[in-house]
Amino acid sequence: HYNDKVDGAVADRQDPTRVWVDYAGVWHFDEASGNALDSTAYQNNGTQTGTVSRVSYGIGRGAEFNSSTERFTVAYDISMNVSGRAWSVLAWQNYSSCSSWASSGVNLVNRGTSGNFWQLESAYTVSFITLYQAPKAYIGSDTLGGGGVITWVGGGCESHLALTYDPSVTTKSRMYTNATDTGTSNTAQTVEALQAMVMGNTGTSNNTQLDEVRLGRKVFSANYIKLSYENQGSTSLVSP
């Protein structure tokens, strides 16, 4: 997303069809308020429920969810069809209360219900000792990532998450946390039932931030995900 991330003074001259050819949706949350606008040619905008704040987070602005049901809902579009196809989802997230005592993480981005779904979930901490639980991804019957680490200071609350799925290979599902492979599965999953995609709807009033949520129409390689992670940090001027 090549833009003036400071004040928007540089005009946006991107060609969405060419720049975002591999994506069904790219949400920068650069708008001052209201719906989340999609940068791709598909215009899969997210409809706002509640009042989702825009704050200084990630690249320029990010979205901040301050109540349990605040969310953006992206209605199903044929561009989001993943039946028998490869796909990826990437996002930056910061659940500010992840170091507090909790029983589970919060929903960040998800699509679908019951067995036909995927979801990205934040980190959280169990008990005051503390047992830090890393971010997770759910896809159908599989849970990727997670895992506890005993630490007195807790783990990081902010992270870049990626989930990829390719039905044509042996290792079908992969999760990456900060560009590190944190879970895989060989199980074939069904996640297509004309479902909407939801960003937010965290189930908590604690501040949860998202930025650069991207729904890919292919599997992105580990190197591409690493490049995205490194180029979208707080000191980077551009993101691929």
Side-chain angles (χ1 to χ4, degrees), residues 113-126:
T113 57
S114 186
N116 298 325
F117 84 110
W118 57 258
Q119 176 182 333
L120 298 180
E121 182 183 273
S122 76
Y124 65 100
T125 300
V126 181

Side-chain angles (χ1 to χ4, degrees), residues 38-144:
D38 173 23
S39 289
T40 75
Y42 300 111
Q43 296 297 287
N44 288 321
N45 299 327
T47 301
Q48 177 181 239
T49 296
T51 304
V52 181
S53 304
R54 304 304 197 279
V55 297
S56 178
Y57 175 67
I59 301 177
R61 292 189 180 106
E64 182 173 88
F65 305 88
N66 298 302
S67 78
S68 61
T69 58
E70 286 181 354
R71 62 189 182 273
F72 295 115
T73 302
V74 181
Y76 175 78
D77 178 80
I78 190 63
S79 62
M80 298 163 62
N81 187 298
V82 294
S83 180
R85 302 177 183 177
W87 54 270
S88 304
V89 59
L90 302 86
W92 279 93
Q93 65 86 28
N94 182 27
Y95 173 42
S96 60
S97 296
C98 89
S99 58
S100 301
W101 190 349
S103 59
S104 64
V106 301
N107 174 62
L108 301 166
V109 186
N110 72 280
R111 185 177 178 205
T113 57
S114 186
N116 298 325
F117 84 110
W118 57 258
Q119 176 182 333
L120 298 180
E121 182 183 273
S122 76
Y124 65 100
T125 300
V126 181
S127 84
F128 62 88
I129 296 177
T130 59
L131 180 61
Y132 171 78
Q133 298 286 326
K136 298 177 183 176
Y138 302 94
I139 175 169
S141 59
D142 285 332
T143 301
L144 308 180

